[in-house]
Amino acid sequence: MPHQSGPVFLRMDFPPMIPALRSGRFDAINTGLFWTEERSKMLYLVPYAQQAISIYTDPSSSLKLEKFEDLAGRVVGVESATYTERKAREFSTAMEAKGLKPIELRTFTTVTATSAALRAGQLEAALNINETANSLEQKGIAKIWVRDIAGTDITFAFRDKLLAQAVAEALTAIRTDGTYDKLFDKFGMTKLKATTFAIRGDGPTN
């Protein structure tokens, strides 16, 4: 790939990202990819932040929520085929096992569609990652009740080990000089506690 003056970004849906990276279509994935052991054997993963879930309602709603279990028996929106949906279904199953009513989850393809359904009164609450919920609240179209549920490390993913190591070193440098903290505070993201960054896992075995 020819040298560029800066990064070149390709926008695409998530499902083809990992196969496209492995086949060499681009050099890195920056999409909040969750660290899993399986992925750590396919790619070089560098954790840089945490992803967590927020519960929110329409600002005009009279519903008050203090914990995830308060969603028992309620109609809740979530984006389909996401970490948030998977965790919500796990929590709902666990709640049902404890004798609580399951959550009636309704899935949508985009946060825009979820927000429209919430505004129209078709949902009682909705779930999304902290950053998205923060953005909706800042725009005045959501009220967040609970944050930081099910925190999970998110990563940059690479097919080249040297590039992954260089990015880890750069992250460590901006953590040391304070830039990391400033950026995360600005965008309301959840920081990793680590002060140094590194590849986590063995990377590709083939």
Side-chain angles (χ1 to χ4, degrees), residues 2-187:
H3 287 292
Q4 305 285 342
S5 57
V8 177
F9 293 101
L10 300 174
R11 293 179 65 90
M12 63 193 302
D13 291 331
F14 177 70
M17 278 187 192
I18 291 176
L21 178 62
R22 295 187 77 196
S23 67
R25 280 194 58 200
F26 42 81
D27 300 302
I29 292 174
N30 173 19
T31 189
L33 189 71
F34 292 105
W35 190 94
T36 68
E37 189 169 350
E38 181 186 16
R39 287 174 181 166
S40 76
K41 292 174 180 174
M42 291 191 292
L43 305 163
Y44 294 104
L45 300 181
V46 178
Y48 68 93
Q50 275 228 324
Q51 194 70 275
I53 298 167
S54 291
I55 303 171
Y56 59 95
T57 62
D58 186 83
S60 64
S61 172
S62 60
L63 186 62
K64 290 179 170 54
L65 303 164
E66 294 180 359
K67 55 189 183 301
F68 205 93
E69 286 77 7
D70 292 344
L71 295 175
R74 299 199 178 276
V75 182
V76 179
V78 66
E79 286 173 52
S80 58
T82 59
Y83 165 80
T84 307
E85 183 192 6
R86 180 166 60 82
K87 282 295 178 186
R89 294 195 185 281
E90 287 175 10
F91 284 134
S92 184
T93 299
M95 286 160 52
E96 203 172 354
K98 289 194 288 187
L100 295 169
K101 290 181 179 178
I103 301 169
E104 187 181 330
L105 285 170
R106 293 189 184 168
T107 58
F108 299 86
T109 54
T110 65
V111 65
T112 305
T114 309
S115 297
L118 192 64
R119 193 165 52 248
Q122 297 167 4
L123 306 170
E124 294 176 272
L127 304 168
N128 216 308
I129 57 173
N130 282 350
E131 293 93 303
T132 301
N134 286 340
S135 175
L136 294 173
E137 190 169 63
Q138 286 164 9
K139 292 172 184 172
I141 57 178
K143 176 175 175 53
I144 299 173
W145 291 94
V146 187
R147 288 178 167 88
D148 300 327
I149 300 164
T152 303
D153 287 358
I154 54 175
T155 68
F156 293 119
F158 307 90
R159 58 189 172 87
D160 181 81
K161 188 174 186 178
L162 289 177
L163 178 58
Q165 288 172 332
V167 169
E169 289 167 10
L171 285 167
T172 299
I174 65 168
R175 188 73 195 251
T176 302
D177 71 16
T179 305
Y180 177 97
D181 287 345
K182 287 177 187 173
L183 286 170
F184 275 61
D185 290 342
K186 178 180 179 181
F187 293 104

